[in-house]
Amino acid sequence: MTITSIDVLDSVVDITAQTESDTISESLITTILQLTPTKQVLVLDYNPEAIPEFMVVTCSDLFLYDKEKKSIEHVLRNCVFKGESVVEFSPNDKQSLLAVPISYGEKNDIHAVVLCKSDLLKGVEVQLIEGLTKIYENYQKIISSSERDGLTGLYNRKMLTTKIDLLLDRFLIQGTNLTNNPTQYHWVCIFDIDNFKLINDSLGHVFGDEVILLITALMRKHFIDEDILFRYGGDEFVVILHPQSREEMESIVRTFIRAVKERDYGQAKEVSVSMGVAAISDQELNAITVLGFADQALYRAKQDGSNRLAFYEDLVLSGELKALQPEDDVEFF
């Protein structure tokens, strides 16, 4: 395989033309496959505090990790331990496994690894993969900073509608519920801090920011990696919960609301949140509609006081809310 500088330049252009984290990962995999003798590529998240530590986020072969988990995890851990690229050759199938670390954050910790499987790799081919991975790493940092809230590190408002619309697109493609279980749904939860203006006015905005950070920490503790967390703005937050039953979801969000109420906030004696929840189903047409349902539920929850939880579907069934029709022209936000 003869690779020209034009080929490499075109690949760099393709990677940096993407505007979302997921599509950048897919572009990196395509580029490595095109420019090197690599046969399979995985991009894995790494979190030493999670179980499992490594999680496949994008791949060219869905089953490679399961089929060769032992040998792959050996080279991945070796890569993380050394903090540099590692190549291991397997004499059994005469294939090479290359692991290249990806670092993010102020401490430059390893948060992901690119793994390639191929015939014996030459030094120049390893260098090319390392160079492409570095471009990917640098560009991911740029994309991540534009997708994240500066204070909390949660996804920002811009990403909220994008993530929900991606779920709704899957409805259109599959033509069915997102899970095989008709009793399970993704759920959108919108909540804000009760009487947050009083906290800012009496204790100052710096203390208000500290409360927001403490609640963000509780969000990360009580929701799992499959859930998507957002700071919508100010003291408003959104969580998209992974598919589960109404009973499971309600138990999780009530536990979170209780944990917020019971936490010690120092000078702020009373801190609580109120939440509105709505299911994401194939009846919704766009993210604004889904968010509108949850926001209506939040509005009703706050009308009842503080530290409250309300469900859009319950409010519709009870007649407290009128079910929104797709043609209704309503601006929620």
Side-chain angles (χ1 to χ4, degrees), residues 147-164:
E147 294 178 346
R148 301 281 178 173
D149 171 62
L151 177 64
T152 63
L154 304 179
Y155 281 116
N156 58 25
R157 179 173 180 156
K158 181 188 78 171
M159 291 301 298
L160 179 55
T161 54
T162 299
K163 293 292 185 181
I164 296 178

Side-chain angles (χ1 to χ4, degrees), residues 46 68 87 112 119 131 141 179 203 216 278 322:
Y46 169 66
E68 302 182 36
V87 181
D119 296 328
K141 292 176 182 177
T179 69
L203 299 173
T216 299
K322 175 187 174 184

